[in-house]
Amino acid sequence: DKILARVVDTYRRIRNTLRFLLANTSDFDPAKDAVPPAEMLEIDRWALARAAEFQAEVLAHYEVYEFHPVVAKLQLFCSEDLGGFYLDVLKDRLYTTQPKSLARRSAQTALWQLTQALLRWMAPFLSFTAEEAWKLVGGGDSIFLEEFWRFPAPDAALLAKWARIRAMREAVNKEIEAVREQGAVGSSLQAELQLTVPPDDHALLASLGDDLRFVFITSDIELIAGSALLASASASKHQKCERCWHYRADVGHTAEHPTLCGRCVSNLYGAGETRTIA
């Protein structure tokens, strides 16, 4: 029973990741909507670079018929790289920005390529699931007539940059979780963060601009230069936007939409927000 339960958990993680990818690319036509790599948001380019790096590991195992390591690594890739980070950050952009905006199409471009790659990775050991999904997104008769997806060579500098950002994000999440356990906040979006970091990390995080709060999934972040990483979270005193769930000072500033924040009003009725990193 325990062995079967572990297998089920692994399958469910991969399958649920695939369902998220399929659902969020259902209105995406790669022939018309794909964003050129140079115009994609940075975190989307990171996701493809990480996928390229991961695929090299997978193919090395397949070359010598090592299936078990692929299964284990793919489960970790889906749970940590995608579910635990990239897709978690991406949800705000997918659900709140304008449907045909560059920000959303950039995300979908990355998700579509990840879907194509994921189906090829999983096909040798989740054959029926891969073939079933291929009928929805594939351009050929069978997934087993395809070659592995061709990613550009991974950008080592980009991978290193985001590895450091993720490490800091994990440290911050521990602080937010401690505040949550005390009952001070519900979700991380209810938290406002004071983040003290060394000079190099300060420059790295400052380069993300306002998109920093989307990467850390908090409503506001104050960056402070210091000698060591130190995070302090507190509950926001602002109102919650009923659409994006961020706690912002400008909620209700538009009389016609008293329950929405400024960016949601812009995304729904105006020119839309500009996102550059995440």
Side-chain angles (χ1 to χ4, degrees):
D1 287 345
K2 290 181 179 179
I3 292 171
L4 289 174
R6 284 197 296 269
V7 173
V8 168
D9 286 342
T10 299
Y11 173 66
R12 183 179 290 119
R13 166 57 66 182
I14 297 172
R15 184 175 182 271
N16 286 349
T17 301
L18 180 58
R19 288 181 66 185
F20 182 93
L21 297 174
L22 292 174
N24 283 284
T25 52
S26 60
D27 65 335
F28 178 77
D29 180 353
K32 297 186 299 183
D33 302 324
V35 176
E39 298 177 22
M40 293 176 70
L41 273 65
E42 185 174 305
I43 196 173
D44 298 328
R45 289 188 283 110
W46 167 83
L48 296 182
R50 177 68 189 104
E53 183 182 50
F54 177 76
Q55 180 165 279
E57 297 178 34
V58 167
L59 294 185
H61 287 298
Y62 277 150
E63 285 289 339
V64 290
Y65 302 98
E66 292 177 347
F67 292 87
H68 180 72
V70 176
V71 177
K73 289 183 178 182
L74 184 57
Q75 192 270 341
L76 282 175
F77 180 79
C78 288
S79 62
E80 296 183 7
D81 292 286
L82 296 183
F85 178 63
Y86 179 59
L87 303 184
D88 200 26
V89 172
L90 211 57
K91 288 174 184 175
D92 180 89
R93 183 154 41 109
L94 286 169
Y95 302 159
T96 68
T97 58
Q98 294 180 332
K100 297 181 180 180
S101 64
L102 173 66
R104 187 166 181 271
R105 291 307 194 198
S106 173
Q108 289 181 309
T109 300
L111 293 183
W112 185 81
Q113 292 194 49
L114 287 170
T115 304
Q116 295 292 316
L118 177 62
L119 290 176
R120 289 158 168 81
W121 298 337
M122 61 190 276
F125 57 89
L126 290 176
S127 305
F128 293 103
T129 302
E131 190 78 320
E132 182 182 0
W134 181 251
K135 293 176 182 178
L136 300 175
V137 299
D141 294 332
S142 170
I143 185 66
F144 295 102
L145 300 176
E146 301 297 317
E147 296 181 351
F148 284 99
W149 191 251
R150 294 183 180 179
F151 289 107
D155 184 333
L158 189 65
L159 289 169
K161 173 181 178 179
W162 282 91
R164 181 56 189 157
I165 292 172
R166 288 181 66 184
M168 289 186 280
R169 183 177 181 265
E170 289 176 9
V172 168
N173 284 344
K174 291 179 181 178
E175 172 62 23
I176 294 175
E177 185 60 33
V179 175
R180 183 188 287 116
E181 289 176 357
Q182 297 168 6
V185 300
S187 71
S188 64
L189 285 175
Q190 194 178 353
E192 292 186 352
L193 195 66
Q194 278 192 332
L195 184 57
T196 303
V197 288
D200 288 348
D201 289 335
H202 187 278
L204 177 63
L205 296 180
S207 71
L208 304 184
D210 191 51
D211 285 6
L212 177 63
R213 65 187 176 99
F214 299 116
V215 174
F216 282 76
I217 314 183
T218 60
S219 288
D220 191 51
I221 296 183
E222 179 186 0
L223 267 183
I224 303 170
S227 58
L229 192 150
L230 180 65
S232 174
S234 59
S236 174
K237 296 180 174 60
H238 300 303
Q239 284 183 278
K240 179 183 179 181
C241 173
E242 71 172 9
R243 181 172 180 268
C244 70
W245 296 5
H246 284 246
Y247 290 73
R248 303 294 291 174
D250 60 355
V251 173
H253 279 202
T254 304
E256 295 86 352
H257 309 288
T259 60
L260 300 182
C261 68
R263 76 183 183 103
C264 280
V265 172
S266 176
N267 284 330
L268 287 171
Y269 308 106
E273 67 178 313
T274 300
R275 303 278 278 269
T276 58
I277 305 294

